[in-house]
C-alpha cells in the first residue's frame, strides 16, 4: 500500500535544506525520471505555471504551460444519461510553450541525452525562486563549452516569466546558433488508463486570432470556441555578446522563433535574456489582449533581468519569513522535503487571486485544473496562518460561484446552494455522481473554512457581504436535504450521500457529513443572530440578498440539535455510516501489492460492498472537530478504522499522523508523517509525473503544526499541546493571528511563544492561558508528556 517508488541516489540528489538539486547527469536515470523531474522542477506563481522540462525541450514526458482558470469546455459523454447529470465539463488548457531554447555549435545540435557531459548541475533554489542549470560539455570536434541557464516565474508580475541563457566558449573558436521559440503544439490524445488524468481534446483547441512580430519580439493570440476565452502570449529578448552576432525573427500562427547567430572566440560569452508574458480574458478582443502582453514585455525589458531576479529573491524571502517551518532532525533530507512542500504551496497560491487552487496546482493537467474541497480543508489553514489576504481571496472565489451553486441546488431539487464537487468556472464538472455530486459535504467544508478564516484572521468584515451569505445558503441545503426520522426517534438524518472516503458511496448518515453539516448549521444560525443583534444594517442587507425567513435560524438550530450520529454501543465507535459495520471486511491478505490503488484494479461495486477505506473520514472528522470527541473516543475510532485504510488517497496519511500523535501513537504518527512529507518526492502514489499533490502538501503543514506542535483553534481560541518526535531536536515556525505575528519554538522540554508584531494576544499552552504583549513579548513553558488528557466529550 504505502511504499516509496522513487529513491534517487544521494550522490546525484544530495540533501540540501534550501534546494532540490541534481549534481550529475546519468542518462538511464534521466530517462526513467523525466516525468517526475518535470514536476519536481516546475515553476509557478499561482496564475502562470511551467513544468520543469529541459531548456532544449528534450527529453520530455509531458510539457506544460498553464494559466489558472484558462480552460475549454468539453462534452461529458455517458453510456446512459439521466436527469441532472452535467453535460459539459471544463478542462485546463496547455498554452504555447515559451521555455524552448535550442542550441547548435558548429552546425551540431546540443542534445543533452547524447552530449559528452563533463559536469552537470540543476538546482531548484528555494531561497531565490529560480531554476538554474550549469552544464559543461565536449563537442564532437573536441571543443569545451559551458552553458548556464536560469528561469523564473515572477511573483511580483504574475503575467511574466523570464529566462537567462548564457553560453561560454572555453578553448576554441565556435559558430553558435541559438533558437528561441514560442510554440503552440496540438493537444495529445488522452491516457484513458487512469481516471485521475485529464480528458483529452480532439482537433484544434486554440484558434489563431492574429500575431505581431517586430525586432526581437513576437506575440501570438488565440480564442477558444466554447468557453470564449481569448489568450495572448509573447516573447521578447535582450542579447549581449562578447563577439559579433545577428538575430532574425519569424512568426506564423503557431510558431514564433528568434534565431541568434554568433562567432565566439575562446573565453567569450553570449547571453540571451528572454521575457515571456501570458494574458487571457473572457470579455476582451484579441488586439487589446496582444497589447496587454506587449505592455508586460515593455516593462520587463525596461527593468532588466537583474532587477526582476532581485525582486523575485526579495519576494521569496518574505514568503519564508512568514511561512518557513524549521526542523532539526537526524535525517538530513527531512528539512529539504519540508521546504520543497512549502515552496509548492507558495507556487500554487501566491498570485492566484481571483482563482481557486487546482488539485495539482499549475504543475500538471491531472484532474483538469479543477478546484476541489481540498483547498478549504487542506490548503486554506496554511494560508489563513501565513497569508490571510490570499485565504480571503480564495473564499471570495467561492462566493463568486454562489449563484451557480444556487442554480445547481435548484437543478437537484434543493433549497439553498450546492457547490460543485469539481469545477473551474463554478459549474459542476464531475461526471461520476456517486463520488462527485453525492459528496454534499463540500458545502460544510466551505462553511467550515469561512468560520475558521474569520475566527483566526479576525476579518469580521468578510462575513458581510460574503461569508454570511455562504453560511445561509449552505445551511438551507442541509435543512432541505435531511429530515426528522420517526424510525430514528425523531433524529435528523441525511440520506444518499458520499463522504470523503470514496470507496464507500451513496450511504445514509455518513458520520463525517452529519457532523460537518451540524457544524455548518450551528455556525450559520449563530452568525445570523449575531448580525441581527450587533449589525442591523448588515443583517437587513443579508435578508434582502437571501430572502432569509424569520424562523430559518431556529430551524437550523433544531436540525443541528437533533442530528443523528451513528454509534455502535458494542464496539463503542462511530460507524462511518448506517450500514458500514454490516459490510464484509476487504481481504487485504489476498490483495496483491501491485493492485494498489484499488480504484485502478477493482470495479467500484466491489469496493462499495466491503469495509475498505480510501481515506478514513471519521479520522478527519475527529481532527477538524477535535473538541467534540474525548481522547478515548478518538483512540477507539482510530484503532478501528486505521487497519481498514489503504491510503490510496494522498490526503490520508497526513490526517492519520495528526490523530495518531494526539492519542499517543508516536511511532505511527512519525511513520505516517514520513510518508506525507515524501508523498511526491518519493512518488508514493506512483503519479508524481502528472503534477504535485497540492492538498497533500498542505496536509504536510497540518501534520507539522496541528500534529507535532498540537495547534488547535476551536472557536478562535488558539492553543498548543506540543509533542515532537524522538528523532527531532527542535521545530520552529511563524503564524499570523488576528493581525499579530508570533514565533513558536519547540524542543522536547519547552515551548517558547514570541510576539514579533502587533498588539496583545492570548494563547493557550496545554490548557494554561498565556498573554503576549510589548511588555512581555516572549513566554516559555515546560512541555508535559502527553497522554491521557480529556480534550472533550463524546458528541
Amino acid at each position: 500500500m504505502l511504499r516509496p517508488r522513487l529513491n534517487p541516489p544521494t550522490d546525484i540528489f544530495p540533501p540540501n535544506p534550501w534546494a532540490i538539486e541534481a549534481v550529475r547527469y546519468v542518462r538511464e536515470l534521466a530517462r526513467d525520471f523525466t516525468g517526475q523531474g518535470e514536476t519536481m522542477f516546475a515553476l509557478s506563481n499561482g496564475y502562470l505555471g511551467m513544468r520543469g522540462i529541459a531548456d532544449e525541450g528534450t527529453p520530455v514526458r509531458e510539457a506544460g504551460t498553464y494559466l489558472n482558470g484558462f480552460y475549454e469546455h468539453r462534452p461529458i459523454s455517458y453510456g446512459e444519461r439521466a436527469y441532472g447529470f452535467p453535460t459539459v465539463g471544463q478542462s485546463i488548457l496547455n498554452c504555447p510553450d515559451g521555455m524552448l531554447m535550442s542550441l547548435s555549435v558548429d552546425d551540431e545540435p546540443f542534445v543533452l541525452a547524447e552530449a559528452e557531459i563533463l559536469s552537470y548541475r540543476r538546482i531548484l533554489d528555494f531561497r531565490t525562486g529560480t531554476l538554474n542549470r550549469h552544464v559543461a560539455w565536449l563537442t564532437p570536434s573536441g571543443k569545451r563549452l559551458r552553458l548556464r541557464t536560469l528561469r523564473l516565474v515572477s511573483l511580483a508580475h504574475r503575467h511574466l516569466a523570464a529566462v537567462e541563457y548564457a553560453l561560454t566558449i572555453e578553448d576554441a573558436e565556435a559558430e553558435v546558433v541559438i533558437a528561441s521559440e514560442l510554440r503552440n503544439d496540438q493537444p495529445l490524445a488522452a491516457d484513458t488508463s487512469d481516471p485521475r488524468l485529464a480528458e483529452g481534446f480532439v482537433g484544434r483547441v486554440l484558434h489563431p486570432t492574429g500575431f505581431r512580430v517586430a525586432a526581437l519580439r513576437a506575440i501570438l493570440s488565440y480564442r477558444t470556441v466554447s468557453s470564449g476565452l481569448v489568450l495572448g502570449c509573447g516573447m521578447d529578448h535582450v542579447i549581449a555578446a562578447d563577439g559579433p552576432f545577428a538575430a532574425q525573427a519569424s512568426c506564423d500562427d503557431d510558431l514564433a522563433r528568434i534565431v541568434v547567430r554568433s562567432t565566439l572566440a575562446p573565453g567569450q560569452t553570449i547571453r540571451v535574456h528572454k521575457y515571456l508574458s501570458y494574458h487571457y480574458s473572457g470579455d476582451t478582443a484579441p488586439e487589446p489582449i496582444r497589447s496587454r502582453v506587449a505592455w508586460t514585455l515593455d516593462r520587463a525589458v525596461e527593468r532588466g533581468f537583474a532587477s526582476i531576479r532581485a525582486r523575485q529573491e526579495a519576494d521569496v524571502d518574505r514568503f519564508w519569513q512568514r511561512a518557513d517551518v524549521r526542523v532539526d532532525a537526524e535525517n538530513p533530507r527531512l528539512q529539504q522535503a519540508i521546504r520543497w512542500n512549502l515552496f509548492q504551496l507558495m507556487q500554487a497560491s501566491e498570485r492566484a487571486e481571483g482563482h481557486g487552487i487546482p488539485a495539482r496546482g499549475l504543475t500538471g493537467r491531472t484532474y483538469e485544473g479543477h478546484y476541489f474541497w481540498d483547498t478549504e480543508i487542506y490548503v486554506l489553514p496554511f494560508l489563513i496562518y501565513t497569508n490571510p489576504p490570499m485565504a480571503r481571496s480564495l473564499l471570495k472565489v467561492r462566493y463568486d460561484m454562489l449563484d451557480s451553486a444556487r442554480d445547481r441546488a435548484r437543478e437537484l431539487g434543493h433549497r439553498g446552494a450546492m457547490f460543485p464537487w469539481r469545477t473551474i468556472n463554478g459549474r459542476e464538472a464531475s461526471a461520476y455522481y456517486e463520488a462527485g455530486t453525492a459528496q454534499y459535504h463540500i458545502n460544510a467544508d466551505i462553511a467550515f473554512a469561512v468560520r475558521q478564516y474569520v475566527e483566526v484572521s479576525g476579518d469580521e468584515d468578510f462575513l458581510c457581504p460574503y461569508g454570511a451569505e455562504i453560511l445561509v445558503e449552505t445551511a438551507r441545503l442541509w435543512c432541505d436535504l435531511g429530515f426528522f426520522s420517526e424510525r430514528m426517534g425523531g433524529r435528523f438524518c441525511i440520506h444518499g450521500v458520499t463522504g470523503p472516503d470514496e470507496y464507500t458511496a451513496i450511504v445514509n448518515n455518513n458520520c463525517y457529513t452529519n457532523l460537518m453539516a451540524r457544524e455548518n448549521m450551528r455556525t450559520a444560525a449563530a452568525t445570523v443572530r449575531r448580525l441581527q443583534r450587533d449589525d442591523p444594517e448588515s443583517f437587513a442587507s443579508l435578508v434582502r440578498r437571501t430572502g432569509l425567513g424569520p424562523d430559518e435560524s431556529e430551524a437550523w438550530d433544531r436540525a443541528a440539535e437533533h442530528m443523528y450520529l451513528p454509534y455502535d454501543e458494542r464496539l463503542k465507535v462511530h460507524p462511518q455510516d448506517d450500514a458500514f459495520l454490516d459490510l464484509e471486511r476487504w481481504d487485504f491478505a489476498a490483495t496483491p501489492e501491485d493492485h494498489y490503488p484499488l480504484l485502478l484494479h477493482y470495479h467500484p461495486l466491489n469496493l462499495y460492498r466491503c469495509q475498505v477505506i480510501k481515506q478514513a473520514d471519521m479520522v478527519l472528522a475527529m481532527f477538524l472537530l477535535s473538541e467534540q470527541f474525548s481522547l478515548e473516543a478518538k483512540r477507539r475510532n482510530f484503532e478501528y478504522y486505521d487497519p481498514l485504510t489503504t491510503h490510496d488517497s494522498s490526503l490520508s496519511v497526513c490526517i492519520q499522523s495528526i490523530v495518531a500523535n494526539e492519542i499517543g501513537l508516536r511511532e505511527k504518527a512519525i511513520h505516517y508523517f514520513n510518508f506525507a512529507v515524501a508523498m511526491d518526492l518519493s512518488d508514493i502514489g506512483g503519479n508524481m509525473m502528472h503534477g504535485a499533490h497540492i492538498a497533500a502538501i498542505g496536509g504536510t503543514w497540518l501534520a507539522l503544526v496541528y500534529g507535532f506542535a498540537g495547534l488547535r483553534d476551536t472557536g478562535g481560541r488558539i492553543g498548543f499541546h506540543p509533542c515532537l518526535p524522538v528523532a527531532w531536536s527542535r521545530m520552529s515556525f511563524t503564524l499570523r493571528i488576528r493581525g499579530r505575528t508570533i514565533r513558536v519554538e519547540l524542543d522536547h522540554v519547552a515551548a517558547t511563544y514570541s510576539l514579533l508584531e502587533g498588539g496583545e494576544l492570548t494563547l493557550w499552552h496545554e490548557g494554561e492561558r498565556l498573554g503576549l504583549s510589548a511588555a512581555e513579548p516572549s513566554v516559555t513553558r515546560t512541555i508535559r508528556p502527553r497522554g491521557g488528557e480529556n480534550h472533550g466529550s463524546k458528541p
Side-chain angles (χ1 to χ4, degrees):
M1 292 189 284
L2 287 174
R3 64 183 186 281
R5 300 168 188 261
L6 176 70
N7 283 306
T10 56
D11 62 329
I12 298 176
F13 293 89
N16 181 336
W18 283 108
I20 289 287
E21 57 182 330
V23 297
R24 287 196 296 123
Y25 186 81
V26 180
R27 287 185 177 84
E28 295 76 13
L29 178 61
R31 182 178 61 247
D32 297 338
F33 183 67
T34 297
Q36 289 92 331
E38 290 166 359
T39 295
M40 182 182 294
F41 292 110
L43 294 174
S44 173
N45 61 14
Y47 173 81
L48 167 63
M50 297 176 164
R51 283 175 62 80
I53 63 170
D55 299 79
E56 300 75 32
T58 59
V60 61
R61 176 67 181 260
E62 185 180 331
T65 298
Y66 312 109
L67 300 178
N68 196 348
F70 183 67
Y71 69 94
E72 176 60 308
H73 291 125
R74 57 168 180 81
I76 300 177
S77 300
Y78 300 93
E80 297 182 19
R81 193 181 300 275
Y83 174 80
F85 282 18
T87 58
V88 177
Q90 313 111 42
S91 190
I92 196 170
L93 295 178
N94 200 346
C95 298
D97 186 356
M99 284 294 171
L100 300 174
M101 301 281 286
S102 61
L103 170 66
S104 291
V105 178
D106 296 334
D107 294 330
E108 296 293 333
F110 172 62
V111 180
L112 187 63
E114 300 173 3
E116 184 176 347
I117 303 299
L118 303 177
S119 66
Y120 176 90
R121 192 167 177 232
R122 196 181 196 203
I123 313 110
L124 179 65
D125 192 325
F126 306 150
R127 287 171 296 192
T128 63
T130 60
L131 178 62
N132 308 270
R133 191 182 66 165
H134 305 271
V135 184
W137 86 98
L138 198 66
T139 69
S141 62
K143 298 178 181 179
R144 293 175 179 266
L145 299 93
R146 286 182 288 110
L147 177 62
R148 292 174 289 109
T149 66
L150 182 151
R151 67 172 72 157
L152 62 87
V153 175
S154 174
L155 298 179
H157 313 294
R158 70 175 190 159
H159 301 277
L160 178 69
V163 179
E164 182 175 57
Y165 193 90
L167 178 71
T168 300
I169 310 298
E170 289 196 344
D171 57 1
E173 183 178 274
E175 301 285 338
V176 174
V177 178
I178 300 171
S180 171
E181 293 184 349
L182 178 61
R183 177 188 294 271
N184 177 42
D185 290 322
Q186 295 301 305
L188 300 175
D191 179 353
T192 58
S193 64
D194 188 335
R196 298 166 294 186
L197 300 185
E199 294 284 343
F201 288 92
V202 177
R204 177 177 281 276
V205 180
L206 297 178
H207 295 263
T209 59
F211 60 83
R212 299 179 187 176
V213 59
L216 302 180
R217 174 179 296 186
I219 299 175
L220 311 175
S221 62
Y222 302 88
R223 186 189 300 274
T224 61
V225 172
S226 181
S227 62
L229 300 176
V230 176
L231 168 70
C233 53
M235 62 178 183
D236 205 347
H237 304 76
V238 175
I239 304 169
D242 295 332
F245 71 89
Q248 184 176 9
S250 62
C251 192
D252 60 28
D253 285 339
D254 291 314
L255 176 62
R257 179 183 286 128
I258 307 294
V259 178
V260 184
R261 294 178 172 84
S262 181
T263 300
L264 298 178
Q268 291 188 325
T269 297
I270 183 169
R271 180 176 287 102
V272 179
H273 287 150
K274 179 177 185 178
Y275 304 104
L276 294 159
S277 175
Y278 292 81
H279 287 257
Y280 78 89
S281 175
D283 56 6
T284 306
E287 179 59 29
I289 285 289
R290 291 193 293 269
S291 294
R292 293 179 189 177
V293 172
W295 298 334
T296 298
L297 295 175
D298 289 342
R299 180 174 57 189
V301 171
E302 178 183 340
R303 295 189 176 180
F305 192 87
S307 174
I308 292 168
R309 180 179 178 181
R311 176 62 186 272
Q312 182 81 347
E313 293 182 11
D315 289 341
V316 173
D317 181 65
R318 279 190 288 273
F319 167 79
W320 289 117
Q321 288 180 29
R322 67 176 189 259
D324 190 22
V325 178
R326 179 173 175 177
V327 172
D328 296 338
E330 296 174 359
N331 180 358
R333 281 201 180 276
L334 179 62
Q335 185 67 77
Q336 180 183 41
I338 289 171
R339 287 206 175 108
W340 184 85
N341 280 274
L342 295 172
F343 189 77
Q344 298 311 311
L345 289 174
M346 179 194 74
Q347 294 202 128
S349 66
E350 196 74 2
R351 296 308 308 273
E353 57 264 28
H355 304 282
I357 295 180
R360 296 299 182 98
L362 297 175
T363 65
R365 287 189 63 239
T366 294
Y367 294 118
E368 303 182 82
H370 290 162
Y371 317 140
F372 290 76
W373 71 303
D374 304 14
T375 299
E376 281 76 22
I377 296 301
Y378 293 87
V379 179
L380 210 69
F382 166 77
L383 294 172
I384 289 171
Y385 280 105
T386 64
N387 190 358
M390 182 48 60
R392 188 184 200 275
S393 174
L394 290 167
L395 290 172
K396 174 60 166 53
V397 168
R398 288 297 193 184
Y399 175 81
D400 292 340
M401 296 178 178
L402 189 55
D403 282 341
S404 294
R406 289 181 174 115
D407 291 343
R408 182 60 171 160
R410 283 192 291 269
E411 185 178 30
L412 296 173
H414 303 313
R415 297 185 68 230
M418 179 61 199
F419 282 97
W421 180 242
R422 51 189 296 177
T423 192
I424 295 176
N425 66 0
R427 300 290 177 179
E428 181 63 79
S430 175
Y432 189 55
Y433 77 88
E434 292 94 331
T437 298
Q439 296 207 48
Y440 284 84
H441 67 83
I442 188 171
N443 263 27
D445 302 328
I446 293 169
F448 185 89
V450 167
R451 188 190 73 177
Q452 184 184 38
Y453 167 72
V454 171
E455 290 178 345
V456 174
S457 72
D459 183 9
E460 296 284 342
D461 291 340
F462 182 78
L463 281 176
C464 208
Y466 308 126
E469 196 169 342
I470 292 174
L471 293 172
V472 165
E473 298 292 12
T474 51
R476 272 180 174 160
L477 179 125
W478 295 119
C479 212
D480 182 72
L481 179 65
F483 69 104
F484 293 94
S485 170
E486 292 184 12
R487 188 169 174 274
M488 294 294 186
R491 308 300 287 179
F492 190 79
C493 296
I494 301 174
H495 287 181
V497 301
T498 299
D501 171 31
E502 294 174 359
Y503 285 175
T504 309
I506 315 296
V507 299
N508 295 340
N509 294 311
N510 170 256
C511 200
Y512 174 92
T513 301
N514 286 16
L515 282 162
M516 293 293 283
R518 181 174 72 173
E519 202 68 14
N520 188 167
M521 290 187 286
R522 284 175 172 172
T523 302
T527 300
V528 166
R529 284 193 296 270
R530 181 154 61 91
L531 286 176
Q532 186 175 17
R533 181 186 67 241
D534 300 337
D535 191 349
E537 184 176 340
S538 293
F539 176 75
S541 175
L542 179 65
V543 171
R544 286 193 301 271
R545 295 194 311 274
T546 63
L548 181 67
D551 300 324
E552 284 195 78
S553 59
E554 287 76 9
W556 303 334
D557 273 335
R558 179 169 176 263
E561 180 66 25
H562 291 82
M563 182 66 72
Y564 173 71
L565 301 176
Y567 187 76
D568 186 86
E569 289 290 350
R570 183 176 65 86
L571 296 174
K572 298 194 181 304
V573 301
H574 289 280
Q576 189 166 282
D577 58 76
D578 281 353
F580 187 81
L581 298 184
D582 296 327
L583 302 178
E584 179 185 12
R585 287 201 171 206
W586 183 268
D587 190 350
F588 290 99
T591 304
E593 189 69 19
D594 62 0
H595 277 39
Y596 295 94
L598 301 180
L599 64 93
L600 299 185
H601 300 277
Y602 300 93
H603 192 281
L605 289 174
N606 295 106
L607 302 173
Y608 297 163
R609 295 187 185 109
C610 292
Q611 289 189 45
V612 60
I613 298 172
K614 187 180 182 186
Q615 65 185 82
D617 47 21
M618 266 309 303
V619 178
L620 178 60
M622 293 190 302
F623 161 57
L624 296 177
L625 305 173
S626 180
E627 76 288 354
Q628 298 182 22
F629 295 85
S630 69
L631 201 63
E632 182 57 30
K634 292 175 184 177
R635 182 176 294 110
R636 288 194 303 267
N637 280 290
F638 184 91
E639 290 174 350
Y640 185 85
Y641 288 108
D642 189 54
L644 301 175
T645 306
T646 65
H647 308 294
D648 287 348
S649 168
S650 63
L651 305 179
S652 181
V653 286
C654 56
I655 303 302
Q656 301 288 108
S657 175
I658 294 170
V659 177
N661 197 57
E662 185 176 8
I663 63 176
L665 300 178
R666 312 292 182 223
E667 291 185 7
K668 182 155 284 192
I670 190 62
H671 171 78
Y672 280 139
F673 174 79
N674 287 338
F675 276 104
V677 76
M679 183 61 63
D680 282 329
L681 291 180
S682 292
D683 199 19
I684 304 297
N687 57 0
M688 184 208 184
M689 70 181 71
H690 300 303
H693 295 78
I694 300 301
I697 288 169
T700 298
W701 185 88
L702 295 178
L704 286 163
V705 176
Y706 283 85
F708 299 118
L711 169 66
R712 293 297 182 271
D713 48 21
T714 303
R717 170 173 158 160
I718 310 298
F720 298 87
H721 283 76
C723 185
L724 296 188
V726 173
W728 301 5
S729 57
R730 296 182 63 83
M731 181 170 80
S732 60
F733 54 90
T734 302
L735 300 177
R736 187 78 174 164
I737 302 169
R738 293 190 280 280
R740 289 84 162 173
T741 302
I742 67 165
R743 182 80 172 163
V744 180
E745 298 172 280
L746 309 171
D747 58 27
H748 291 286
V749 176
T752 299
Y753 307 95
S754 302
L755 181 66
L756 305 183
E757 180 185 353
E760 295 182 3
L761 181 67
T762 297
L763 301 175
W764 300 81
H765 170 82
E766 296 182 348
E768 177 190 357
R769 185 182 183 277
L770 306 178
L772 300 179
S773 65
E776 190 176 9
S778 185
V779 176
T780 299
R781 288 293 184 271
T782 300
I783 296 175
R784 300 193 306 269
R786 284 175 61 183
E789 304 132 336
N790 190 323
H791 296 293
S793 58
K794 188 179 75 174

